[in-house]
Amino acid sequence: MTVSTQTVSTIQFPYKRTLGPVMGRFFSELTARRIVGIRSGERVIVPPMEYDPETGNELARDFVEVGPAGTVRSWTWVAEPIASHPLDRPFAFVLIRLDGADTDLVHVLDAGAEDAVHTGMRVAPRWRDEPVGRIDDIVCFVPGERAETPEGEPGEAQEVTTMEYFSTITYTDVLSPTLVRYASNLRAGKLTGQRCPQCNRVFLGRGYCSVDAIRLGPELDEDLPDRGVVSNYTIVTPTPYPGQKETEPFARASVVLEGDEMVIAQQQILDLPVSEIRVGMRVRAEWMPEAERDAAEITSKGWGTVAGFIRGWRPTGEPDEPAEQYMNRVF
């Protein structure tokens, strides 16, 4: 099977922050479908700020309701939205000077077509059916003077003190020729590395010797055993977090491959209580089924990585190696 030279990865983690008295008031008012700014001398700043952006002085909590309609001051058209954009159809990012404000609010405009957008046009918000105190309680702005509001009164503003969301980044890795060969061999159920001709150390999927700073080409590839010895380990006791899969204490171990100094770190020891894992224990790799290995990917930072190809390492039952020879070493 051909290995792709690029992989796309996504990192996502939950984020929570307190809003403070000023932004907290702004988001609280959104739950009642109102937009507020804060007075700074003769100006009204929207969204409100705790400190004057020109002088740095703390502002009095003099909030002013503005809008909801306003005037487009500047805009840019998005013809092909991506998953992280607020709308799933072409739209414009706009700077809007809401009525009664002296600064501009960044938001999105659903105008239908690029030629329907122009600087100076009047727009108004389209409100979410059930506002919760987020900026997307205003789904978007639309052309015209009248806000699009669901039937019924919004009720009193609900206090909002924190903001919670998932922070996500998606990135593309371009794989080196060494990693492509490494991943191809992992899919075939083989561990391979390159042996440095100067220091005799073996490296997995790296393509260079980090000791002698020389390139390690395909002519230095060699097959490595999928057996080894546990050289150290850590027992992790999970704490609750979104998307949690591990709920009981688990171990991650470093395995020194048999007959060499090559270490594969962060490995799972299979079918053994964490209390029975020990330094010097002999283990053998348990490979994922071929179909699952074919679906696995490796990233540009994946030298030495076997995740998705090796399920874990199973004790062989053979006598342990002396633990003393692995003391005070990581690699």
Side-chain angles (χ1 to χ4, degrees):
M1 181 178 180
T2 301
V3 177
S4 172
T5 59
Q6 292 188 344
T7 61
V8 178
S9 304
T10 298
I11 299 173
Q12 183 182 75
F13 59 91
Y15 187 86
K16 182 176 182 178
R17 59 159 290 186
T18 55
L19 295 172
V22 174
M23 290 307 297
R25 174 67 179 272
F26 175 75
F27 286 112
S28 296
E29 292 292 338
L30 290 179
T31 67
R33 302 194 186 108
R34 292 192 294 265
I35 307 171
V36 299
I38 195 168
R39 197 176 300 281
S40 175
E42 299 299 318
R43 301 188 305 156
V44 173
I45 299 173
V46 180
M49 304 178 72
E50 290 191 46
Y51 299 91
D52 189 302
E54 295 182 354
T55 66
N57 295 330
E58 185 173 4
L59 296 175
R61 307 293 190 255
D62 186 3
F63 295 100
V64 181
E65 185 174 354
V66 297
T71 301
V72 171
R73 304 268 290 182
S74 182
W75 59 278
T76 186
W77 185 251
V78 180
E80 297 179 1
I82 60 176
S84 58
H85 278 143
L87 298 180
D88 61 2
R89 53 195 177 276
F91 68 93
F93 279 114
V94 286
L95 289 176
I96 302 170
R97 182 69 58 89
L98 294 173
D99 295 345
D102 296 290
T103 61
D104 299 330
L105 175 73
V106 179
H107 217 287
V108 296
L109 173 65
D110 187 9
E114 183 176 4
D115 58 11
V117 185
H118 59 87
T119 300
M121 69 183 294
R122 296 287 292 170
V123 294
R126 175 183 293 155
W127 290 97
R128 179 196 294 271
D129 288 347
E130 297 181 2
V132 294
R134 291 166 47 105
I135 191 62
D136 56 0
D137 286 345
I138 303 174
V139 177
C140 60
F141 281 78
V142 294
E145 296 284 350
R146 185 180 297 274
E148 294 185 6
T149 305
E151 294 183 2
E153 294 297 322
E156 294 296 321
Q158 303 299 309
E159 185 179 22
V160 179
T161 59
T162 61
M163 176 189 297
E164 299 183 43
Y165 60 93
F166 282 93
S167 182
T168 303
I169 182 171
T170 298
Y171 60 94
T172 300
D173 274 311
V174 179
L175 305 187
S176 68
T178 302
L179 270 175
V180 171
R181 294 198 314 276
Y182 178 61
S184 296
N185 289 324
L186 287 174
R187 287 207 168 102
K190 296 193 303 181
L191 275 172
T192 57
Q194 298 82 43
R195 186 176 297 276
C196 176
Q198 293 188 25
C199 67
N200 205 40
R201 290 180 172 85
V202 175
F203 299 93
L204 299 185
R206 188 176 300 194
Y208 63 92
C209 174
S210 56
V211 176
D212 299 299
I214 62 173
R215 178 180 174 274
L216 304 177
E219 71 281 0
L220 299 173
D221 285 1
E222 61 178 68
D223 292 345
L224 301 173
D226 60 359
R227 298 166 58 93
V229 177
V230 173
S231 62
N232 60 69
Y233 64 93
T234 299
I235 296 175
V236 181
T237 301
T239 57
Y241 59 89
Q244 183 173 12
K245 296 180 180 179
E246 300 276 8
T247 57
E248 299 297 326
F250 63 94
R252 289 294 179 264
S254 293
V255 175
V256 179
L257 297 183
E258 192 173 83
D260 216 314
E261 293 293 301
M262 184 62 228
V263 175
I264 303 180
Q266 298 293 316
Q267 297 303 293
Q268 181 178 0
I269 305 301
L270 301 172
D271 299 334
L272 190 71
V274 294
S275 60
E276 297 181 23
I277 298 174
R278 57 199 179 274
V279 174
M281 184 172 60
R282 293 179 180 271
V283 292
R284 177 190 290 274
E286 182 173 299
W287 291 85
M288 303 287 282
E290 184 177 353
E292 294 182 39
R293 296 200 306 267
D294 285 346
E297 291 186 334
I298 196 164
T299 72
S300 64
K301 298 177 179 62
W303 54 268
T305 296
V306 296
F309 303 97
I310 291 178
R311 188 187 307 280
W313 299 75
R314 191 175 299 281
T316 65
E318 301 170 274
D320 289 1
E321 288 279 346
E324 292 76 16
Q325 70 187 61
Y326 298 102
M327 295 298 183
N328 301 319
R329 63 167 283 176
V330 177
F331 299 105

